[in-house]
């Protein structure tokens, strides 16, 4: 995409994107819901709703708690299961979105991750697989893989062995040393890293004196976490040689540029979609002017420039 | 769905903790009674979903109750201020399924969407009967507005300070020949209403939402027809599809 002589394109492991703006998994469904309100083909790509082997209802309600500058969610990976996603959701997405897609795969065991990834790998429109080893809202799975370098490496290696598409591993910030985990998944064969999933948080209702969320805790996201995400992208960029997708609190074209300067090759926009369904469109439209303001002619050229 | 700016033309208290707000702006996305709007309030990250009480080509009327800090802030907003609002959200009531004499049941701040519904049912040539339930006489609002539409309005209050002492279901027992029902109010009331009659009907649910337009899965409930998002596939559900826990 070239607007006013500004080059917005970027590349993720050979996958060309018109621009770096990708709605984050879990905040954009399977995309088609948003096709009612604008032409979603302006997006760089879409990270689809987290998918597991079996259909999941997810956690009990309430699943949402408001915070200053963000929200806590505890959806618990509600999704129709991999078979229905391939049979019903992807064809529907394809009707509205013609570009490459990012599948987001979650699981509770290595077997489950490899099963789903092997199936999704065969889908033509899926050009990147995002391995979610960082969901804070499910027990015995999800984040437990993402908090231990050995497990993180092991699951990455197992999935890499059964897939052909670029594999991006989405990491949790709920660890002491993010660099250690990032290096482990790189060693496991990851083609890229997605940073960061939500921060574990909670709210308590003053009237009931009990946690707002049924599952007590949930994942905190929104503009409040942007500095944390930025810091982790910056740290990981120095330690690995694979591309990074930066995610966490991005709301504006300025945020996109800042995240790319830290080392992100592309960005995902999450919580902001829930507040403003047009936010990704707005960011993409504003990028050329913001680039102009800061003397940037090509986004690719600024990746990691803060180092 | 439409996202646009709306100007506050009126924001006044009409009952205990209950306010009426009149908003001026694009109403083209609203097409059914029972839909809601999602209002951005300064300093609050999430929008506040509020049902539409009435609307015309230029204005939207909402009625809301102070339930927390967000609605408290809303109650202090001044006339002339502009708000960013998503409109035309949710499925709304189906006015074609009602038969000739539908019952309209509103409980507390579940009452507002029933006003527009009542208007549209009358326009369809139906003869709705209205039952409104409140805690006490200080909580009552919109009784006269409904009466001006030419319908019979029955009131129940929990403390008996006005109307029938008790609940909306106590009045339902006295009305035998209704053909269908529409209800909006607290969960316990909705369940009691569904249990009180063999008639078919529709109820509008309230749930804590993230986005309000179907993206986040924050408000999904289990129904007999599978998982449904209250904001997108609701808030109105048929009695038969609901699972009461």
């Amino acid at each position: 995409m070239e607007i006013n002589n500004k080059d917005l394109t970027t590349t993720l492991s050979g996958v060309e994107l018109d621009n770096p703006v990708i709605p984050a998994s879990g905040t954009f469904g399977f995309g088609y819901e948003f096709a009612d309100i604008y032409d979603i083909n302006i997006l760089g790509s879409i990270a689809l709703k987290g998918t597991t082997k079996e259909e999941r209802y997810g956690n009990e309600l309430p699943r949402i708690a408001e915070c200053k500058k963000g929200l806590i969610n505890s959806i618990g990976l509600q999704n129709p299961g991999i078979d229905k996603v391939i049979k019903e959701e992807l064809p529907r997405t394809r009707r509205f979105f013609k570009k490459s897609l990012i599948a987001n795969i979650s699981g509770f065991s290595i077997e489950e991750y490899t099963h789903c990834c092997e199936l999704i790998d065969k889908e033509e429109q899926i050009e990147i697989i995002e391995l979610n080893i960082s969901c804070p809202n499910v027990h015995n799975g999800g984040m437990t893989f993402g908090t231990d370098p050995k497990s993180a490496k092991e699951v990455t290696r197992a999935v890499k062995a059964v897939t052909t598409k670029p594999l991006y591993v989405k990491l949790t910030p709920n660890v002491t040393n993010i660099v250690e985990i990032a290096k482990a998944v790189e060693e496991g064969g990851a083609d890229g890293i997605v940073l960061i999933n939500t921060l574990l948080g909670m709210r308590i209702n003053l009237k009931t004196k009990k946690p707002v969320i049924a599952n007590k805790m949930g994942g905190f996201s929104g503009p409040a976490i942007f500095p944390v995400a930025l810091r982790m992208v910056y740290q990981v960029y120095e330690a690995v040689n694979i591309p990074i997708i930066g995610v966490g609190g991005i709301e504006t074209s300025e945020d996109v540029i800042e995240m790319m300067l830290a080392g992100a090759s592309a960005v995902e926009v999450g919580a902001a979609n829930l507040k403003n369904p047009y936010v990704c469109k707005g960011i993409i439209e504003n990028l050329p002017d913001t680039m102009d303001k800061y003397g940037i002619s090509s986004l690719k050229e600024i990746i990691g420039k803060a180092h | 769905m439409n996202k646009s700016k709306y100007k506050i033309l009126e924001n006044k208290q009409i009952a205990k903790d209950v306010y009426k707000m009149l908003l001026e702006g694009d109403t083209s996305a609203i097409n059914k009674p029972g839909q809601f709007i999602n209002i951005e309030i300064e300093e609050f990250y999430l929008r506040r979903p509020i049902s539409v009480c009435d609307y015309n080509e230029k204005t939207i009327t909402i009625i809301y109750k102070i339930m927390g800090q967000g609605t408290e802030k809303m109650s202090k907003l001044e006339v002339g201020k502009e708000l960013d609002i998503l409109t035309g959200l949710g499925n709304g009531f189906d006015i074609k399924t009602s038969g000739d004499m539908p019952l309209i049941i509103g409980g507390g701040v579940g009452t507002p969407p029933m006003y527009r519904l009542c208007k549209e049912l009358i326009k369809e040539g139906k003869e709705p009967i209205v039952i409104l339930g409140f805690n006490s006489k200080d909580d009552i609002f919109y009784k006269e507005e409904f009466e001006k539409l030419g319908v019979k309005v029955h009131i129940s209050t929990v403390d008996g300070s006005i109307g029938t002492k008790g609940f909306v279901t106590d009045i339902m027992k006295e009305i035998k020949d209704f053909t269908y029902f529409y209800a909006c109010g607290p969960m316990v009331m909705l369940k009691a209403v569904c249990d009180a009659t063999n008639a078919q009907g529709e109820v509008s649910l309230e749930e804590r939402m993230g986005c309000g337009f179907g993206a986040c899965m924050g408000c999904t409930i289990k129904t007999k027809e599978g998982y449904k998002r209250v904001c997108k596939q609701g808030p109105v559900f048929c009695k038969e599809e609901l699972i009461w826990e």
Side-chain angles (χ1 to χ4, degrees), chain A residues 192-213:
Chain A
I193 289 169
V194 185
L195 279 172
I196 56 175
N197 206 316
T198 52
L199 290 143
L200 196 59
M202 81 180 291
R203 296 299 310 267
I204 294 168
N205 181 325
L206 299 186
K207 283 184 193 157
T208 63
K209 319 233 172 353
K210 297 287 175 201
V212 172
I213 283 180

Side-chain angles (χ1 to χ4, degrees), chain B:
Chain B
M1 175 168 59
N2 182 37
K3 179 177 176 293
S4 173
K5 300 277 181 203
Y6 295 80
K7 193 165 133 189
I8 301 174
L9 297 183
E10 187 184 318
N11 190 21
K12 63 168 189 193
Q13 190 168 6
I14 58 168
K16 191 180 155 208
D17 292 334
V18 176
Y19 288 74
K20 175 181 171 184
M21 186 184 275
L22 186 65
L23 295 156
E24 184 184 50
D26 182 359
T27 63
S28 60
I30 308 171
N31 52 40
K32 270 184 161 186
Q35 288 183 315
F36 66 96
I37 64 176
N38 214 356
I39 308 173
E40 185 175 272
I41 303 163
E42 249 171 68
E43 294 165 39
F44 291 87
Y45 192 73
L46 295 173
R47 292 167 184 268
R48 294 298 184 273
I50 311 277
S51 61
V52 172
C53 173
D54 199 9
Y55 66 98
N56 59 34
E57 302 77 38
K58 278 187 261 167
T59 64
I60 302 171
T61 305
I62 56 167
I63 292 173
Y64 62 95
K65 187 175 183 179
I66 297 180
M67 300 298 286
Q69 293 170 2
T71 37
E72 191 178 340
K73 174 88 190 269
M74 252 178 92
S75 72
K76 294 183 177 129
L77 296 176
E78 286 179 11
V79 168
K81 190 174 171 55
E82 285 209 327
L83 297 173
D84 183 284
I85 304 178
L86 302 174
T87 55
L89 303 175
N91 59 353
F93 292 107
D94 185 351
I95 56 167
K96 303 284 181 197
T97 45
S98 73
D100 290 336
M101 205 187 282
L103 210 50
I104 291 177
I105 306 158
V109 274
T111 299
M114 309 321 263
Y115 180 70
R116 177 70 189 198
L117 172 69
C118 189
K119 266 182 150 179
E120 297 212 6
L121 286 169
I122 292 167
K123 217 164 78 186
E124 280 288 302
K126 319 286 187 193
E127 291 174 44
I129 303 160
V130 176
I131 307 174
L132 304 179
F134 296 95
N135 283 322
S136 183
K137 68 174 187 334
D138 295 338
D139 300 309
I140 294 176
F141 61 90
Y142 255 53
K143 180 175 182 282
E144 290 79 25
E145 281 79 356
F146 274 100
E147 283 169 345
K148 275 183 208 154
L149 300 176
V151 294
K152 173 82 185 144
V153 181
H154 302 266
I155 301 277
S156 71
T157 51
V158 179
D159 67 1
S161 50
I162 201 165
T164 303
K165 182 173 163 53
F167 299 96
V168 292
T169 41
D170 294 316
I171 299 172
M172 272 177 86
K173 280 183 227 153
E174 310 300 319
I175 304 168
K176 296 268 182 270
D177 46 0
F178 59 91
T179 51
Y180 196 79
F181 72 87
Y182 297 95
C184 183
M187 267 312 211
V188 281
M189 181 200 98
L190 296 178
K191 183 175 188 310
V193 165
C194 287
D195 288 346
T197 174
N198 292 322
Q200 301 296 309
E202 293 169 27
V203 304
S204 180
L205 303 184
E206 184 175 44
E207 201 46 74
R208 188 177 284 263
M209 292 173 186
C211 62
F213 48 86
C216 75
M217 316 280 161
C219 62
T220 309
I221 57 161
K222 293 172 186 166
T223 75
K224 287 173 189 161
E225 293 165 17
Y227 306 148
K228 289 194 174 181
R229 293 158 292 173
V230 171
C231 70
K232 180 89 182 178
Q233 291 147 302
V236 177
F237 294 89
C238 288
K239 174 187 167 182
E240 312 89 79
E241 65 180 320
L242 290 173
I243 300 168
W244 301 100
E245 281 171 2

Side-chain angles (χ1 to χ4, degrees), chain A residues 8-303:
Chain A
L8 272 63
T9 62
T10 190
T11 309
L12 294 170
S13 307
V15 180
E16 300 282 340
L17 305 185
D18 284 346
N19 65 70
V21 180
I22 306 165
S25 181
T27 64
F28 215 73
F30 287 90
Y32 53 81
E33 303 276 19
F34 284 76
D36 290 346
I37 60 169
Y38 68 89
D39 181 6
I40 56 176
N41 287 292
I42 63 162
L43 299 166
S45 179
I46 300 171
L48 300 171
K49 174 73 186 155
T51 302
T52 53
K53 188 177 177 186
E54 311 293 342
E55 180 181 27
R56 283 179 56 82
Y57 169 65
N59 295 331
E60 293 306 314
L61 306 184
R63 297 173 172 182
I64 301 284
E66 187 177 44
C67 307
K68 283 177 187 136
K69 299 285 173 194
L71 78 150
I72 293 172
N73 88 79
S74 163
I75 309 301
L77 291 173
Q78 183 192 335
N79 80 96
I82 186 75
D83 295 337
K84 262 195 187 164
V85 165
I86 289 173
K87 217 173 130 205
E88 292 169 21
E89 302 289 342
L90 286 181
R92 209 173 295 168
T93 304
R94 200 172 299 133
R95 278 186 10 225
F96 300 100
F97 191 69
K98 306 300 175 191
K99 297 177 172 180
S100 45
L101 288 166
I102 301 175
N104 180 292
I105 302 295
S106 271
F108 298 86
S109 65
I110 289 187
E111 183 277 328
E112 198 175 331
Y113 277 112
T114 53
H115 173 84
C116 294
C117 289
E118 210 174 344
L119 291 175
I120 209 79
D121 194 55
K122 297 188 179 82
E123 292 300 308
E124 204 182 329
Q125 203 180 359
I126 304 294
E127 295 217 35
I128 290 174
I129 299 170
E130 184 175 275
L131 195 66
N132 180 6
I133 58 166
S134 45
C135 180
N137 290 321
V138 293
H139 299 290
N140 309 315
M143 200 169 86
T144 50
F145 282 100
T147 51
D148 170 46
K150 219 177 118 209
S151 311
K153 186 174 165 179
E154 199 182 347
V155 67
T156 306
R157 181 165 285 162
V159 169
K160 195 62 197 161
V162 297
T163 52
T164 60
K165 307 265 169 83
L167 182 66
Y168 278 55
V169 184
K170 187 169 180 180
L171 301 184
T172 172
N174 303 303
V175 295
T176 315
N177 187 348
I178 190 72
V179 170
E180 190 184 27
I181 309 279
K183 278 180 162 172
V185 300
E186 186 184 32
E187 281 168 26
D191 298 287
I193 289 169
V194 185
L195 279 172
I196 56 175
N197 206 316
T198 52
L199 290 143
L200 196 59
M202 81 180 291
R203 296 299 310 267
I204 294 168
N205 181 325
L206 299 186
K207 283 184 193 157
T208 63
K209 319 233 172 353
K210 297 287 175 201
V212 172
I213 283 180
N215 208 28
K216 299 187 180 79
M217 288 167 251
F220 178 39
S221 62
I225 75 163
F226 180 75
V228 178
L230 188 80
R231 180 268 290 181
M232 289 193 167
V233 168
Y234 186 90
Q235 286 179 312
V236 168
Y237 180 82
E238 294 200 332
V240 301
N241 293 307
I242 48 179
I244 300 165
I245 300 175
V247 50
I250 292 169
E251 289 197 315
T252 64
S253 52
E254 285 84 357
D255 296 340
V256 173
I257 289 171
E258 197 173 340
M259 193 57 97
M260 292 183 83
L261 287 168
S265 294
V267 302
E268 290 181 6
V269 178
N273 288 306
L274 309 181
K275 188 183 167 78
N276 174 9
Y278 298 87
V279 70
C280 288
K281 181 177 188 276
I283 292 173
I284 294 165
E285 287 168 353
N286 290 338
L287 266 171
D289 280 351
T290 311
M291 288 166 72
D292 198 46
K293 187 174 170 188
Y294 295 100
I296 300 161
S297 56
S298 159
L299 285 180
K300 266 190 295 242
E301 285 167 14
I302 66 162
I303 299 167

